Amino acid sequence: MAIHNNEIRDILEKVADLLEIRGENPFRVRAYHEAARVVESMSEQIVRLVADNQDLTQYRGIGKDMAGKIREIVETGTLSQFEALRAEMPLTLLDMLQVPSLGPRKISLIYNKLGVTTLEELKDAAVQGKIAQLSGFGEKSQQNILDSLDRIEEAEESRMLWSDAEPFARALEKYIRKVEGVRQVRVAGSFRRGRETVGDLDILATCLRGYEEKLMTAFVVFEDIKQVLAHGRTKSSIVLRCGLQVDLRIVPQVSFGAALHYFTGSKAHNIAVRKLGTDLGYKINEYGVYQEEKRIAGKTEKSVYESVGLVYIEPELRENLGEIETAEDNRLPVLVKRSDIRGDLHAHTRRSDGHGSLEEMARAAKALGYEYLAITEHSQKVAMAGGLSEKQVRVHMENIDRVNAKLKGFCLLKAMEVDILADGSLDLADSVLRELDMAVCSVHYQQRLPMKKQTERIIRAMDNPNFDILGHPTARLINTRDPMEIDLEKIIEAAKERNVVVELNAQPDRLDLPHAYCKTAADLGVKIALSTDAHSMDNLGLIRNGIIAARRGWLTRDDIINTRPLSELRKLLRRG
Ligand SMILES: [Zn+2]
Ligand SMILES: [Zn+2]
């Protein structure tokens, strides 16, 4: 199996680190680090250079001795010196290099004196106070190590935003599809289900018989690779530079549907489907649906569902949150699509904290096929983001009128994103709020009130008849800020009573209303505004993310007000 430059670099890097931990001559250590750096920066594949019998010493930083070692790696897949070092001390010692305050010399001391070989053992030793007792360490450096270990754990747990993973998923799909012999390619996993965050990417492919090796060889040299974790005949794993792990599996054509179902998950959904199979005397796994030894379904996902008496279930719904029972009764909702959307109800221009002008935003929205766009600048309290005073709101409305006079077949709505103040009043006088086409009202400050107080604050604000839409209801920022402590169910009920619309904010780190509550709202008949909260023209395109979130929330076209033509939309709003 051909070895990739990145794997060669990894071996050289590890040898350097291991030699350093062992206390070797710094010049020797540096030679390996330097060679690793050269290999990393090379645009040619070393495998090819070696096959062409090229002289590797032509690269500055690779001496004659090192060239021989690199050849050895290419020819044998490893380096005898590396194997010897690995036999002498555990490779897990290298994990400790992630702790910024630990260099090779300190790691060697911890290893030799305490027998610590892994990050876990390091934590135990620090918790027990053993590190502080080593010479050259103290209480302070021990605490330092513990803090670093916490951060390392946190980083390992944090998942990438769906929208950050998407470009990699699409690029990989495209790349794999172009490999000779490939037939089908799909990204499965939580990415396909549209989860807000993605842990890793699971890609499935089918190819013509005999082309498996070609596909895997192409996969492990994808341009953005940091590390190749495994390179096999039907399964390979890589880590991209961004830290995302990607697994590629080649599955037989007849199993593609079963495999896609299996690897799309969720686990809870799969268990429920398998249980239905068991009740019928079938066995369901990633290769198909089996009755005794006979495969009775699995070529398509639809066939898997049909074998257990279900209609096809969209990936976004596969969380075992009622979709199985609903599919049994054939009552699954027809989920909203991008083409259903006729306008956007939350956008900023450069008048507050956005980037575009009114006209630019209007043109960009029109280009998306929209009929209307609500311009919702911030109100005065949000001074940091250029909030508007009452007087300025009147100018804002006049400016919109002026732009609207120039637009054909498109309308900018005179709106504001009104701050909900701590006491539940709104940040602008009723006299001016009344003149708007609509008001989106949101909490921006004092998000840490106790639950009862916070809930009351929002409901009190909703008592104002000029409150049309509740903006980003929980104020969460995924991976950064927890949602406010609120009784969201109670708030949704209050919205129902007052004919208030609840926003599903499509910003990739908001996706707020969270999906479980979208379903609660829809079940109660509370309407949703699917809005991008765009701060630039490009941002209007985030509606795609919003659509996925809406689908995860079981929302149909009927549940969302901005699927309606403008005249109908106006009637649906509270002030209409
Ligand atoms: Zn806001
Ligand atoms: Zn906003």
Side-chain angles (χ1 to χ4, degrees):
M1 205 74 56
I3 194 161
H4 187 251
N5 283 9
N6 289 327
E7 296 169 273
I8 299 173
R9 179 205 56 202
D10 282 349
I11 292 175
L12 295 171
E13 200 69 67
K14 281 177 186 157
V15 170
D17 290 334
L18 290 169
L19 285 174
E20 209 173 351
I21 290 176
R22 203 208 217 178
E24 290 281 336
N25 174 343
F27 292 103
R28 255 189 98 198
V29 172
R30 200 172 308 147
Y32 284 95
H33 277 306
E34 176 63 8
R37 196 191 55 75
V38 174
V39 168
E40 164 144 38
S41 64
M42 279 168 60
S43 51
E44 306 86 351
Q45 285 300 318
I46 293 177
V47 174
R48 220 156 292 150
L49 296 176
V50 169
D52 293 349
N53 235 332
Q54 294 227 25
D55 182 7
L56 296 175
T57 59
Q58 65 180 302
Y59 294 92
R60 188 204 285 267
I62 296 185
K64 213 170 156 212
D65 187 45
M66 194 58 72
K69 290 182 194 292
I70 294 175
R71 270 178 189 281
E72 186 190 335
I73 298 175
V74 170
E75 280 154 12
T76 68
T78 185
L79 190 61
S80 46
Q81 192 189 7
F82 174 56
E83 296 303 322
L85 284 166
R86 181 144 81 163
E88 192 184 309
M89 54 185 140
L91 265 187
T92 48
L93 287 180
L94 300 179
D95 295 342
M96 287 190 233
L97 287 167
Q98 293 173 62
V99 178
S101 62
L102 292 184
R105 198 174 318 155
K106 286 192 168 166
I107 292 173
S108 147
L109 188 73
I110 293 173
Y111 169 52
N112 287 316
K113 297 274 178 205
L114 302 175
V116 165
T117 60
T118 65
L119 286 178
E120 264 169 40
E121 290 169 9
L122 178 65
K123 188 170 184 176
D124 289 344
V127 168
Q128 291 163 24
K130 289 183 186 163
I131 302 285
Q133 288 157 20
L134 293 174
S135 81
F137 291 85
E139 288 292 340
K140 213 169 156 193
S141 51
Q142 179 170 275
Q143 188 54 49
N144 217 326
I145 290 171
L146 280 171
D147 293 346
S148 301
L149 288 172
D150 280 348
R151 270 197 301 278
I152 291 166
E153 273 173 28
E154 234 167 74
E156 274 168 3
E157 279 164 20
S158 97
R159 297 160 57 94
M160 187 180 268
L161 286 180
W162 185 92
S163 60
D164 290 339
E166 191 199 9
F168 299 107
R170 299 297 174 229
L172 276 156
E173 243 176 342
K174 202 170 146 198
Y175 175 78
I176 293 169
R177 194 158 284 141
K178 280 194 186 143
V179 177
E180 195 186 349
V182 169
R183 299 188 61 185
Q184 281 161 293
V185 186
R186 288 302 285 276
V187 181
S190 51
F191 180 83
R192 182 161 177 250
R193 301 202 313 280
R195 258 191 79 166
E196 294 89 339
T197 58
V198 173
D200 50 25
L201 292 178
D202 295 298
I203 305 182
L204 298 180
T206 59
C207 67
L208 298 175
R209 192 186 301 253
Y211 283 83
E212 293 86 357
E213 192 174 337
K214 193 167 211 155
L215 171 52
M216 284 305 177
T217 305
F219 177 63
V220 298
V221 299
F222 181 68
E223 57 186 358
D224 270 329
I225 291 184
K226 183 166 86 184
Q227 202 185 347
V228 177
L229 299 174
H231 180 178
R233 216 180 102 83
T234 57
K235 191 198 161 193
S236 294
S237 296
I238 59 175
V239 180
L240 301 180
R241 265 176 220 290
C242 63
L244 196 62
Q245 183 178 327
V246 187
D247 297 342
L248 173 64
R249 287 181 177 82
I250 302 177
V251 300
Q253 193 70 48
V254 285
S255 297
F256 187 69
L260 189 55
H261 181 257
Y262 181 89
F263 288 105
T264 295
S266 65
K267 250 192 203 114
H269 173 90
N270 286 355
I271 289 170
V273 170
R274 267 206 305 276
K275 167 93 176 40
L276 290 179
T278 314
D279 292 348
L280 293 166
Y282 304 153
K283 206 179 111 199
I284 303 180
N285 58 28
E286 66 261 52
Y287 300 104
V289 181
Y290 295 87
Q291 186 172 26
E292 315 272 287
E293 295 306 304
K294 193 170 167 262
R295 188 195 333 250
I296 57 165
K299 189 158 190 223
T300 65
E301 283 192 308
K302 198 161 168 265
S303 75
V304 174
Y305 284 115
E306 280 172 354
S307 73
V308 294
L310 298 177
V311 292
Y312 176 78
I313 300 176
E314 300 279 1
E316 293 94 332
L317 298 182
R318 300 182 195 171
E319 300 292 343
N320 198 24
L321 292 173
E323 74 278 11
I324 309 256
E325 297 78 357
T326 317
E328 275 179 324
D329 301 346
N330 199 7
R331 285 186 299 111
L332 284 175
V334 179
L335 301 178
V336 64
K337 313 185 293 294
R338 165 66 186 83
S339 56
D340 294 331
I341 301 297
R342 295 191 186 224
D344 198 326
L345 299 176
H346 188 156
H348 300 265
T349 73
R350 63 169 78 110
R351 182 63 193 81
S352 60
D353 59 345
H355 295 290
S357 67
L358 283 175
E359 264 193 88
E360 286 168 333
M361 291 297 281
R363 250 182 275 130
K366 205 176 166 196
L368 290 177
Y370 290 168
E371 290 171 37
Y372 49 85
L373 170 68
I375 301 294
T376 54
E377 309 292 18
H378 285 292
S379 61
Q380 52 203 8
K381 168 88 184 174
V382 192
M384 253 175 20
L388 273 56
S389 68
E390 274 136 31
K391 217 166 128 197
Q392 289 167 328
V393 175
R394 294 217 151 78
V395 178
H396 167 65
M397 290 194 278
E398 284 166 22
N399 289 339
I400 289 180
D401 280 335
R402 213 166 299 128
V403 174
N404 271 340
K406 288 192 268 182
L407 297 170
K408 285 206 182 74
F410 187 86
C411 183
L412 286 178
L413 295 174
K414 288 179 267 186
M416 285 293 289
E417 179 174 11
V418 188
D419 191 56
I420 298 174
L421 302 177
D423 64 356
S425 59
L426 296 180
D427 187 28
L428 291 168
D430 289 339
S431 54
V432 66
L433 288 177
R434 221 173 284 136
E435 291 172 44
L436 296 168
D437 288 317
M438 50 170 263
V440 176
C441 305
S442 348
V443 171
H444 295 105
Y445 299 103
Q446 283 173 286
Q447 299 178 341
R448 300 271 73 102
L449 299 181
M451 170 131 112
K452 188 159 178 282
K453 245 180 145 179
Q454 195 70 279
T455 306
E456 282 168 6
R457 168 195 191 180
I458 294 169
I459 294 177
R460 194 168 318 132
M462 280 191 205
D463 285 339
N464 187 317
N466 298 304
F467 189 126
D468 297 293
I469 299 176
L470 172 60
H472 45 72
T474 76
R476 73 167 174 180
L477 293 177
I478 296 166
N479 282 350
T480 326
R481 188 167 73 203
D482 287 337
M484 293 191 290
E485 286 177 25
I486 45 174
D487 186 339
L488 205 40
E489 231 154 280
K490 202 165 166 190
I491 289 172
I492 291 169
E493 278 162 21
K496 168 75 182 166
E497 286 158 16
R498 291 160 182 78
N499 198 21
V500 163
V501 171
V502 176
E503 178 179 273
L504 168 47
N505 190 301
Q507 289 286 321
D509 60 346
R510 287 194 186 269
L511 301 173
D512 187 10
L513 198 61
H515 70 94
Y517 290 97
C518 289
K519 191 163 183 282
T520 310
D523 288 347
L524 265 177
V526 171
K527 296 289 179 210
I528 301 289
L530 185 57
S531 307
T532 61
D533 198 354
H535 284 69
S536 67
M537 284 84 84
D538 281 352
N539 258 196
L540 289 168
L542 294 176
I543 195 70
R544 287 191 319 112
N545 296 51
I547 290 286
I548 295 167
R551 292 168 64 89
R552 281 179 65 73
W554 293 57
L555 299 180
T556 67
R557 186 175 140 185
D558 260 5
D559 298 321
I560 296 172
I561 56 167
N562 45 316
T563 58
R564 308 293 208 286
L566 183 56
S567 56
E568 261 181 62
L569 170 84
R570 285 189 194 274
K571 275 183 238 156
L572 277 172
L573 289 171
R574 186 183 196 176
R575 65 184 65 212

